[in-house]
Amino acid sequence: MTTRTRPGTARTALVFALITGAALTLTACAGGDPATAPAGASGAPGVAKGALPTEDVVSAVKKNEAAAKLLPADVRQRGSFTIASSVATPPSSAYLPDGKTVVGVDADFAAAVAKALGLELKREVVGFEAILPALGSGKYDVGTGNFGVTEERRKAIDFVTYINDGQGFASRADSPLKAVTDLTQLCGLKVAVNAGTTFERTLEQNKGRCAEAGKEPYEVNVYSETGAIWMSLQQGRSDVVMNTINGVRYAVTQQKNVKFLNEYRRLDVGFAFRKGTPLAPAFQAAVNGLKADGTYDRILRKWGVTGSGIATSQISPPEIPAPKK
């Protein structure tokens, strides 16, 4: 597998260090013990805070001949596919301390599918908000970035699902919030999110609820890098973080004075492709093959996200409905 990083990789790696507590004292390790936390509640069971699991769960994957036969002829001929990857925070994606090696749930599934299809994976690290437009233009074959399947995205993008994650909340430990089950609980607060995400969309689409309830609106603070949302929370510039369920669960184990509030909603997560891609059936067959041979469960266990397993991979399933509140 080859990886090409874009400008800003060093900065992104440093911001990741903020989350893991590996280099910056602002987020010194505290919180629940990953070795004893429930499955899905931390980054990686049995792994020390600030560390990332290095277990090899991919190299033993065998070629899935039936899945490979579903590949379009031009892809079989060139023997590779290009993937645009957003690197944000574990367990979904992260850099190793070398600042260039990409690891995480997304990386392991992409590598395992590539082996199952007998293809070389050529990765380029790309900003999250740039990936889906780039797929539509044909610049890349596949995109990863914990992309949730939504009706809006399905209009222009095809998905092949491999996990179920979604939207979760965190706050500082001294916050009176216990759980955000209704977005009006955020009224008057500042909420930090990443740009171009379902979190930003959810909050913007529901801003009017505060006025309807006779309350002050919440403020949406948008950041391009995940580490920045946690810094804004720690420094008091934001009151709440809204991010992936698994990402929030992991991050709060790596930081002091931060607590996980709750899961707000679940979404299927998948590999992203341009609309009408001929690659989807092969990727779907490869993911289901990984479930059959045990690789799928090994990847989930490695990253401590067994609660995000799906029964079967699907091609662009309908969006899981949002909470009514």
Side-chain angles (χ1 to χ4, degrees):
M1 180 186 73
T2 58
T3 300
R4 182 157 57 103
T5 58
R6 290 169 61 88
T9 294
R11 184 178 71 249
T12 304
L14 181 60
V15 172
F16 162 67
L18 168 68
I19 299 172
T20 63
L24 301 180
T25 58
L26 174 62
T27 54
C29 301
D33 183 355
T36 58
S42 65
V47 177
K49 295 182 180 68
L52 291 169
T54 57
E55 176 191 0
D56 179 2
V57 292
V58 174
S59 64
V61 174
K62 306 296 183 185
K63 184 175 180 180
N64 184 330
E65 296 292 348
K69 287 180 180 178
L70 298 174
L71 288 167
D74 63 321
V75 176
R76 286 200 304 270
Q77 185 173 6
R78 74 174 186 249
S80 65
F81 65 89
T82 57
I83 185 167
S85 297
S86 168
V87 180
T89 181
S92 177
S93 59
Y95 287 110
L96 288 182
D98 63 13
K100 61 183 180 180
T101 303
V102 179
V103 298
V105 174
D106 291 348
D108 277 348
F109 273 116
V113 165
K115 289 212 67 176
L117 295 176
L119 299 175
E120 178 188 2
L121 185 159
K122 297 182 177 180
R123 173 183 289 113
E124 182 172 337
V125 174
V126 181
F128 178 89
E129 63 273 21
I131 292 178
L132 299 187
L135 293 175
S137 70
K139 186 174 182 179
Y140 306 102
D141 296 312
V142 191
T144 59
N146 203 278
F147 287 111
V149 180
T150 67
E151 294 306 315
E152 182 179 353
R153 286 174 174 168
R154 291 205 311 156
K155 295 175 183 177
I157 297 293
D158 281 343
F159 293 92
V160 171
T161 60
Y162 56 93
I163 61 168
N164 176 278
D165 195 349
Q167 303 175 342
F169 289 101
S171 68
R172 289 186 300 278
D174 60 0
S175 170
L177 285 171
K178 302 298 181 184
V180 180
T181 56
D182 186 321
L183 294 180
T184 59
Q185 293 172 261
L186 301 174
C187 297
L189 301 179
K190 298 177 181 180
V191 188
V193 299
N194 287 112
T197 58
T198 63
F199 322 116
E200 181 183 10
R201 186 194 69 166
T202 294
L203 294 173
E204 292 294 345
Q205 288 180 339
N206 289 278
K207 265 190 170 181
R209 292 189 183 186
C210 292
E212 293 171 1
K215 299 181 178 181
E216 290 293 317
Y218 51 72
E219 179 180 312
V220 183
N221 294 337
V222 181
Y223 298 91
S224 61
E225 293 182 334
T226 302
I229 70 175
W230 295 104
M231 184 179 288
S232 76
L233 183 70
Q234 290 276 12
Q235 294 179 343
R237 290 180 284 110
S238 297
D239 302 299
V240 180
V241 162
M242 187 179 188
N243 205 264
T244 66
I245 294 167
N246 291 333
V248 171
R249 285 190 183 279
Y250 181 92
V252 299
T253 70
Q254 306 300 308
Q255 303 183 56
K256 63 180 180 180
N257 300 325
V258 176
K259 65 181 180 181
F260 178 77
L261 294 178
N262 63 294
E263 297 182 9
Y264 179 67
R265 68 174 298 196
R266 283 273 172 175
L267 286 171
D268 288 315
V269 171
F271 294 106
F273 306 83
R274 65 176 175 83
K275 194 71 177 175
T277 178
L279 286 170
F283 270 67
Q284 180 191 30
V287 173
N288 286 329
L290 297 174
K291 287 189 66 67
D293 70 18
T295 302
Y296 184 92
D297 288 338
R298 285 191 286 274
I299 293 174
L300 296 189
R301 285 196 299 269
K302 172 183 175 179
W303 294 101
V305 293
T306 54
S308 284
I310 58 176
T312 185
S313 176
Q314 300 180 73
I315 297 175
S316 298
E319 177 179 352
I320 297 173
K324 294 182 180 181
K325 292 184 178 182

